[in-house]
Amino acid sequence: MDAVELVIVPPTKDLGGFPVRRALPSIERRMVGPFVFFDEMGPSILRAGTGLDVRPHPHIGLATVTYLFDGAMLHRDSLGSVQRIEPGAVNWMTAGSGIVHSERTPPEERLHDSRLFGIQSWVALPRAHEESPPAFAHHPAATLPEERADGVHLRLVAGNLGSLRAPVAALSELFYVDLVLEAGARFELSPEHEERAAFPVEGAVVIEGRRYEAGQLLVLRPRVPVVLEAPEGARVMLLGGAALDGPRHIYWNFVSSSKERIEQAKEDWVQRRFAPVPGEAEFIPLPGSGPAIVRYP
């Protein structure tokens, strides 16, 4: 059987000149392991005097993961966290019972043209942790485990892979990897995790003689080793983990195993019961409940 079980070609949405490709959730596949949302942001040039402004918005039942290849963003949340994120570092925000955050281009980056390119993903929390207290953690690139050998550079963003374990406090069994392959290099992904996918970010990969271009989510067949080759060099995000402990409902920025919990979160946001982000006056209304504001995600 083919090692690649499914190929998802995400549609590209243009948010005012800023391209976004959403690979998860899709019609073909709702999730891979605990990953229920996967967006590629950019690459895009933000002109001087402008920037990306993700206004304050709420989350429940998930952890958000911001990972950049280029550029910078400034995170603020209702816990009072203020953190600049740069390429190779990890912002891991556990929403749990509820959190509000914003992500914006830092003021200093708006003084000149800047490039922004990265991945925004969501990890659904296990049922036992869906209502855990919200938390935020930042891990600089230098603190993440890495391996270099034979033209392969692997950085473990979160979870575990082989003997490597990331410092990110994930609440479920998962792996998330930034893999860079030089021209002609190859990498074998073991079957240790139940569900796995590969997303070529730059360059093409070859699996079992078939070529897959950048911008596609390759859902891999369970329980078989998969060899990725990069004839011209490539950068690939690898992700997955154990299957979730039951289905998840997704509405806007809310994820939960309970439809009733999502309805409660919707009402709480409309009634402004979520804690605000200190220093932020703007917010994004619940869809359909007020004036539309361009938002991402």
Side-chain angles (χ1 to χ4, degrees):
M1 294 187 292
D2 292 342
V4 177
E5 186 177 73
L6 175 66
V7 178
I8 298 173
V9 181
T12 300
K13 292 186 178 181
D14 188 322
L15 302 183
F18 188 79
V20 174
R21 296 178 183 85
R22 180 159 299 168
L24 291 175
S26 70
I27 295 175
E28 300 94 338
R29 184 88 177 214
R30 298 287 294 172
M31 59 191 74
V32 176
F35 288 84
V36 296
F37 182 96
F38 188 94
D39 263 14
E40 181 184 59
M41 313 177 294
S44 184
I45 299 297
L46 304 175
R47 298 302 177 188
T50 69
L52 188 66
D53 285 295
V54 186
R55 297 167 176 85
H57 58 281
H59 291 286
I60 65 164
L62 55 85
T64 67
V65 193
T66 302
Y67 189 77
L68 298 180
F69 307 118
D70 284 302
M73 295 185 73
L74 184 65
H75 165 97
R76 295 179 184 270
D77 64 41
S78 51
L79 300 175
S81 311
V82 179
Q83 177 64 58
R84 179 185 171 100
I85 182 170
E86 297 179 337
V90 173
N91 271 10
W92 184 280
M93 185 184 75
T94 302
S97 60
I99 199 169
V100 180
H101 77 134
S102 66
E103 286 185 304
R104 301 178 185 269
T105 300
E108 58 273 19
E109 299 297 323
R110 298 173 189 254
L111 300 177
H112 52 78
D113 290 356
S114 61
R115 190 171 188 260
L116 186 63
F117 188 23
I119 302 290
Q120 177 74 220
S121 55
W122 299 352
V123 173
L125 300 179
R127 287 183 176 180
H129 297 287
E130 283 186 306
E131 296 298 322
S132 60
F136 175 80
H138 176 78
H139 299 276
T143 66
L144 302 179
E146 295 184 279
E147 283 188 350
R148 295 176 185 266
D150 302 323
V152 176
H153 177 203
L154 181 152
R155 175 183 287 125
L156 184 61
V157 177
N160 65 281
L161 188 68
S163 61
L164 301 180
R165 183 169 292 275
V168 173
L171 296 172
S172 57
E173 193 68 23
L174 60 88
F175 76 106
Y176 195 23
V177 168
D178 179 5
L179 179 70
V180 177
L181 302 173
E182 296 179 6
R186 64 199 304 270
F187 174 78
E188 181 174 317
L189 178 62
S190 73
E192 65 177 292
H193 289 282
E194 182 180 3
E195 298 183 359
R196 302 163 298 163
F199 185 86
V201 175
E202 295 174 318
V205 296
V206 173
I207 301 174
E208 295 182 334
R210 295 185 181 180
R211 183 182 177 94
Y212 300 93
E213 302 295 335
Q216 305 176 81
L217 185 69
L218 315 176
V219 180
L220 306 176
R221 192 168 299 281
R223 307 305 185 193
V224 296
V226 177
V227 176
L228 295 89
E229 301 176 84
E232 299 92 28
R235 188 171 201 166
V236 187
M237 297 302 290
L238 305 173
L239 60 142
L244 279 172
D245 54 355
R248 291 298 186 274
H249 305 284
I250 301 177
Y251 174 86
W252 193 39
N253 301 306
F254 304 137
V255 174
S256 179
S257 59
S258 165
K259 289 183 179 179
E260 292 75 19
R261 180 65 181 91
I262 287 181
E263 291 302 315
Q264 181 63 58
K266 290 163 63 176
E267 180 66 16
D268 288 344
W269 184 242
V270 170
Q271 298 300 328
R272 307 300 299 273
R273 296 184 187 123
F274 280 83
V277 177
E280 295 261 18
E282 297 177 295
F283 72 99
I284 303 172
L286 188 77
S289 67
I293 294 180
V294 175
R295 54 175 283 276
Y296 171 77

